[in-house]
C-alpha cells in the first residue's frame, strides 16, 4: 500500500499515472482528459493537485459520503442478490454532466466537502464490523480517486470482501487494467451512443467508455450497464438500436442492461421526466436485438425489474423495489429448466 499522510485538513497521497512537463507542470494520464496541471493547480476532476511538480490525490481517505445500500441500488441485479454493501464516495468527477444527480459533491473538490476520516484499513474494518460482503465505490466518479480505491480494494480482498465499481467508465486503458485486478463487479453508465452528445451533455467522449466496457469483460469483471434515457438527448430509437447492436456484436448479449428513467436535475431541470412508454420501447429494442437481460429502473411497481430465464421465460428473481421476493436460481442455473443464468450468485 502506498504512503499517505494527514496534512491537518485531511489525508493526501501521491497520485499514480502522471508525466512531468516543462517547469513544475505535470500531465495527468489517468483519464482521457489529459489535464496539464501547473504547480498549485488541479485537474478537471478537482481532486488531483500539483504540488511542487508532483501530482497528489486529496480524495485519498477522505470520503464525503458513506452509507449501507442494497447491491440492487447500484444497480447490480446479477451480483450477490439480496446482499448489502458499504457505499462510499469522495468529491470530484472528471465529467461535467448537465443532468448529474449528485452534483453537490461530484462538482466539488474534496477540500470543499465535509469528509469522514476513513483511510483504507478503516474502510475494511467498518465493512467487517457491519458484516457486509462488499464495498461499492459510487455516487460520484470513483475513478478520480483511483489510488484510494486500489489500496482499499486490495485490503478488502485480503479479508474476503468483494469490490464494486459504479462509474461512467472514463479512464485510460493502463490504469483500468491494473484496477481490474481488484474489482469484482461494475456498473458502467453508458450515457449515449453518440460522440457529439457525450461532448455536449457530459463533457467527454464515447470511445473511451466503450474501451472500458470491453476491458472489464475481457478481464473477467462482472459487468452491468446503465443507460439513463433523457428526453430530447438520447431517447432516439435509432440510436438506442445502434447501441444494442454494438453491444451484441461485441459479446455483451448476456450483460444486463438497465434503462433508467430520468427526472429533472441540475442543469437539465427544464426537461420533463422520461415518458414510461419510451423506456418500454427501449427495452423492446434491446430484447429484439438479442440482449438477454433487460431492465427498466426508476419506475415503481414495474415487473421489468424481475429477472427472467432466457430458456423457459419463468421469473427466476422477483424483485419489489430493491428487495428480493423470490430467488429461483440454484448456483448459477434456473431451478425450473436448468438454463445457465449469467452472473455471480453466491
Amino acid at each position: 500500500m502506498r504512503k499517505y499522510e494527514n496534512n491537518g485538513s485531511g489525508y493526501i497521497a501521491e497520485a499514480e499515472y502522471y508525466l512531468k512537463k516543462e517547469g513544475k507542470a505535470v500531465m495527468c494520464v489517468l483519464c482521457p482528459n489529459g489535464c496539464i496541471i501547473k504547480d498549485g493547480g488541479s485537474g478537471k476532476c478537482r481532486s488531483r493537485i500539483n504540488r511542487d511538480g508532483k501530482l497528489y490525490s486529496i480524495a485519498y481517505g477522505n470520503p464525503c459520503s458513506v452509507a449501507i445500500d442494497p447491491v440492487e441500488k447500484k444497480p447490480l441485479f446479477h451480483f450477490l442478490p439480496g446482499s448489502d454493501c458499504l457505499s462510499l464516495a469522495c468529491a470530484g468527477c472528471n465529467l461535467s454532466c448537465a443532468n448529474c444527480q449528485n452534483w453537490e459533491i461530484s462538482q466539488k473538490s474534496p477540500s470543499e466537502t465535509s469528509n469522514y476520516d476513513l483511510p483504507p484499513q478503516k474502510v475494511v474494518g467498518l465493512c467487517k464490523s457491519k458484516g457486509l460482503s462488499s464495498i461499492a465505490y459510487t455516487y460520484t466518479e470513483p475513478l478520480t480517486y483511483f489510488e484510494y480505491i486500489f489500496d482499499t480494494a486490495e485490503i478488502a480482498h485480503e479479508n474476503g470482501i468483494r469490490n464494486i465499481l459504479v462509474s461512467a467508465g472514463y479512464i485510460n486503458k493502463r490504469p483500468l487494467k491494473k484496477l481490474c485486478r481488484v474489482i469484482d463487479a461494475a456498473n458502467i453508465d453508458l450515457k449515449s451512443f453518440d460522440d457529439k452528445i457525450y461532448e455536449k451533455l457530459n463533457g467527454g467522449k464515447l470511445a473511451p467508455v466503450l474501451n472500458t466496457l470491453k476491458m472489464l469483460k475481457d478481464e473477467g469483471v462482472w459487468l452491468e450497464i446503465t443507460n439513463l434515457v433523457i428526453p430530447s438527448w438520447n431517447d432516439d430509437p435509432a440510436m438506442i438500436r445502434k447501441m444494442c447492436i454494438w453491444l451484441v456484436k461485441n459479446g455483451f448479449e448476456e450483460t444486463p442492461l438497465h434503462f433508467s428513467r430520468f427526472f429533472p436535475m441540475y442543469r437539465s431541470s427544464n426537461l420533463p421526466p422520461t415518458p414510461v412508454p419510451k423506456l418500454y420501447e427501449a427495452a423492446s429494442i434491446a430484447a429484439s436485438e438479442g440482449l438477454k437481460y433487460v431492465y427498466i429502473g426508476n419506475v415503481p411497481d414495474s415487473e421489468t425489474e424481475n429477472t427472467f430465464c432466457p430458456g423457459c421465460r419463468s421469473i427466476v428473481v422477483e424483485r419489489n423495489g430493491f428487495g428480493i421476493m423470490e430467488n429461483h436460481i440454484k448456483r448459477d442455473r434456473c431451478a425450473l429448466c436448468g438454463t445457465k443464468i449469467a452472473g455471480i450468485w453466491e
Side-chain angles (χ1 to χ4, degrees):
M1 190 176 72
R2 79 199 72 241
K3 293 180 180 179
Y4 62 92
E5 62 182 50
N6 194 320
N7 63 4
S9 58
Y11 294 100
I12 188 169
E14 186 171 355
E16 292 187 51
Y17 303 107
Y18 70 94
L19 305 173
K20 291 185 178 294
K21 307 298 283 187
E22 187 177 351
K24 291 185 178 181
V26 300
M27 179 180 182
C28 180
V29 292
L30 177 64
C31 87
N33 288 332
C35 296
I36 303 292
I37 308 171
K38 296 180 180 180
D39 187 21
S42 67
K44 181 179 178 179
C45 68
R46 304 174 180 85
S47 67
R48 303 172 81 75
I49 65 171
N50 180 348
R51 290 189 177 175
D52 199 29
K54 289 185 177 180
L55 191 65
Y56 291 89
S57 169
I58 58 171
Y60 193 97
N62 302 311
C64 60
S65 182
V66 180
I68 296 175
D69 290 326
V71 74
E72 285 78 13
K73 189 177 178 180
K74 298 301 106 186
L76 287 173
F77 281 9
H78 290 230
F79 182 81
L80 306 181
S83 67
D84 289 333
C85 57
L86 181 69
S87 294
L88 61 84
C90 301
C93 184
N94 55 355
L95 295 178
S96 51
C97 302
N99 59 292
C100 183
Q101 65 176 356
N102 289 320
W103 60 272
E104 297 96 336
I105 54 177
S106 74
Q107 302 303 307
K108 287 187 176 180
S109 163
S111 64
E112 299 175 302
T113 53
S114 297
N115 302 321
Y116 295 89
D117 179 349
L118 280 177
Q121 300 96 326
K122 284 190 177 181
V123 175
V124 175
L126 178 60
C127 193
K128 291 176 69 177
S129 72
K130 300 295 183 181
L132 303 173
S133 58
S134 59
I135 301 169
Y137 311 94
T138 181
Y139 301 148
T140 55
E141 179 45 74
L143 296 173
T144 63
Y145 49 95
F146 173 93
E147 296 81 8
Y148 184 35
I149 292 178
F150 189 86
D151 290 354
T152 304
E154 268 200 323
I155 299 171
H157 270 186
E158 292 168 1
N159 286 270
I161 296 169
R162 290 170 171 171
N163 297 287
I164 298 167
L165 178 71
V166 182
S167 166
Y170 208 61
I171 186 173
N172 288 330
K173 290 182 178 180
R174 185 172 163 225
L176 178 61
K177 189 174 182 66
K178 178 177 179 178
L179 194 61
C180 284
R181 292 173 8 206
V182 292
I183 296 296
D184 301 283
N187 186 295
I188 300 299
D189 189 3
L190 179 54
K191 297 177 182 293
S192 72
F193 210 73
D194 183 280
D195 210 43
K196 290 182 179 179
I197 293 175
Y198 254 91
E199 290 181 6
K200 292 180 180 179
L201 184 65
N202 313 114
K205 296 181 182 297
L206 172 62
V209 182
L210 299 183
N211 289 335
T212 290
L213 297 179
K214 290 178 180 179
M215 182 171 287
L216 289 169
K217 181 173 70 72
D218 291 346
E219 294 295 317
V221 175
W222 174 252
L223 174 65
E224 304 193 19
I225 298 169
T226 293
N227 178 239
L228 179 69
V229 181
I230 305 174
S232 77
W233 278 103
N234 66 350
D235 60 346
D236 176 45
M239 184 171 63
I240 291 171
R241 188 175 299 278
K242 184 179 178 181
M243 176 182 73
C244 294
I245 290 171
W246 183 92
L247 288 171
V248 172
K249 182 179 178 180
N250 285 274
F252 294 95
E253 64 272 8
E254 292 196 327
T255 298
L257 175 59
H258 303 257
F259 289 108
S260 188
R261 191 182 189 198
F262 162 85
F263 288 96
M265 190 70 64
Y266 193 32
R267 299 197 309 270
S268 297
S269 58
N270 60 310
L271 297 176
T274 316
V276 173
K278 270 288 184 183
L279 296 165
Y280 280 92
E281 181 184 19
S284 177
I285 290 170
S288 71
E289 293 299 338
L291 287 159
K292 294 183 179 180
Y293 306 104
V294 183
Y295 301 100
I296 293 176
N298 288 344
V299 179
D301 303 320
S302 171
E303 289 192 354
T304 56
E305 290 198 329
N306 295 330
T307 298
F308 291 84
C309 171
C312 66
R313 300 307 302 165
S314 299
I315 295 176
V316 287
V317 182
E318 182 180 356
R319 299 179 179 86
N320 184 1
F322 298 132
I324 304 296
M325 309 307 292
E326 293 188 34
N327 186 341
H328 300 293
I329 297 176
K330 301 296 183 183
R331 296 183 182 174
D332 60 353
R333 296 188 177 273
C334 171
L336 302 173
C337 74
T339 297
K340 186 173 182 179
I341 311 296
I344 295 175
W345 304 105
E346 56 186 39

